[in-house]
Amino acid sequence: MLNRWNTVSLYFLIMLIFLPEPSTSQVNEFPSDQEATKKTVALFRNLRALSGKQILFGHQDAMAYGVEWKDWHRNRSDVKDVCGSHPALFGWELGKLGLSERNLDSVNFKQMQDWIREVYKSGSVNTISWHMDNYVTKGTTWDTSGGNVVHTILPGGVNHELFKKDLDVFAEFLRGIGKKVPIIFRPFHEHSGNWFWWGQRYCSPAEYKALWQFTVDYLRKEKNIHHLLFAYSTDVVSSREEYLEKYPGDEYVDIIGIDDYRDVGQGGSSQKLVERLRMIVNIADEKNKIAALTETGFEGVKNPNWWTQQLLTPILQDQVASRIAWLMVWRNDSSTHHYGPYPGHACVPDFLAFAKHERIMMNDRLPSMYKFKQ
Ligand code: BMA
């Protein structure tokens, strides 16, 4: 005989059996750093939760300068001049950190720290890349001579101490910003290409992985830094095997990224971009990570309808590809070397349509990224 309590328990038992599996819910997901700060965890979960709903729009160096202006302007960006809102994500670059007061594109590092804090306060997201100079030749990041440079900076290598010093300077740079500001760090990017000294043909997969793992472990364990998410991004690759060839492991990566200029430039095929995005979204899904188009753009934006025609519409037409968390275009340096819009450019009307699209997130429509609501 079922008494009242048995009936209630039976009811709950049935509920438990038939309740849908807790979805790959973002609620309990954790970034690769088990000791990540609360805000870093929130950023990770929010980026996951937005997937399929919205895509954050990002622009490299957006607040530091634009096509017609170079000096310090408070709270300005070409993107804001054009559409009234800053981007939802800002890229920054550390090339020359520790060697000069300014980075390789003349951005003052102290000002960069201020901007990073401002971006955080405004609710947008910061991501940092590092075009590191060549440790062997002392040439630039594009100097691929000097043999296997990666080997020399690994533990036991002749330049290992120098490399550690640079990581110390980076840790100091982060401390100057403040540990409460979560940052997406994207080191040794486009390693599938051959234009940086850490590129495809200049080191083995084992060496690249060791370099990545050392970097992450050193920052976490030696420097006690727990407010970074790590972004792995290849250049265009044609297969999943190629993509994962130098993947350092799930404990070391949060963002499954790709840099793709080729498919959206002159003579490119947006369909190819979509295929590559499908690939990274699928990998991110399997690993409970975040997929992102970490760099893209058409230099000079030579198609006035580029934003919607070559970028947004093809991406949104695909249910998988459109689940990337963000897409970021490269910097606005001059009227010939720019990837974002600026006032007066022929692509402005189309950019406005892009920026106002319900699936695109600019700063003014961003939900709180640093608090996670269950
Ligand atoms: C490249 C170009 C260079 C720049 C470098 C690092 O793609 O924009 O002019 O120095 O990125 O920002």
Side-chain angles (χ1 to χ4, degrees), residues 271-285:
Q271 206 36 52
K272 283 252 171 251
L273 166 73
V274 168
E275 279 165 32
R276 293 189 230 273
L277 295 182
R278 286 177 66 90
M279 175 188 77
I280 60 163
V281 169
N282 283 329
I283 296 174
D285 274 358

Side-chain angles (χ1 to χ4, degrees), residues 124-135:
S124 282
V125 178
N126 287 291
T127 175
I128 294 184
S129 54
W130 197 345
H131 286 76
M132 273 186 161
D133 281 359
N134 183 316
Y135 283 90

Side-chain angles (χ1 to χ4, degrees), residues 142-151 188-208 235 237 242 245-246 262:
W142 294 280
D143 180 357
T144 54
S145 63
N148 186 332
V149 183
V150 169
H151 184 75
F188 310 118
H189 65 302
E190 298 176 8
H191 59 275
S192 57
N194 289 306
W195 42 91
F196 299 131
W197 52 259
W198 56 83
Q200 179 63 12
R201 72 165 79 104
Y202 309 112
C203 66
S204 69
E207 285 164 334
Y208 183 85
D235 196 71
V237 289
E242 218 184 306
E245 190 190 6
K246 290 183 172 174
R262 191 192 297 173

Side-chain angles (χ1 to χ4, degrees), residues 60 92-99 103-104 109 127-133 135 141 162-171 173 185-189 196-198 215 219 295 330:
Q60 179 74 8
W92 303 101
E93 170 49 47
L94 295 183
K96 301 288 179 202
L97 184 71
L99 298 168
N103 83 353
L104 78 172
F109 283 115
T127 175
I128 294 184
S129 54
W130 197 345
H131 286 76
M132 273 186 161
D133 281 359
Y135 283 90
T141 190
L162 265 182
F163 178 60
K164 280 207 304 200
K165 265 202 190 117
D166 282 343
L167 294 181
D168 293 344
V169 176
F170 176 46
F173 176 83
F185 184 40
R186 192 169 68 93
F188 310 118
H189 65 302
F196 299 131
W197 52 259
W198 56 83
T215 304
L219 292 171
E295 277 185 45
W330 203 240

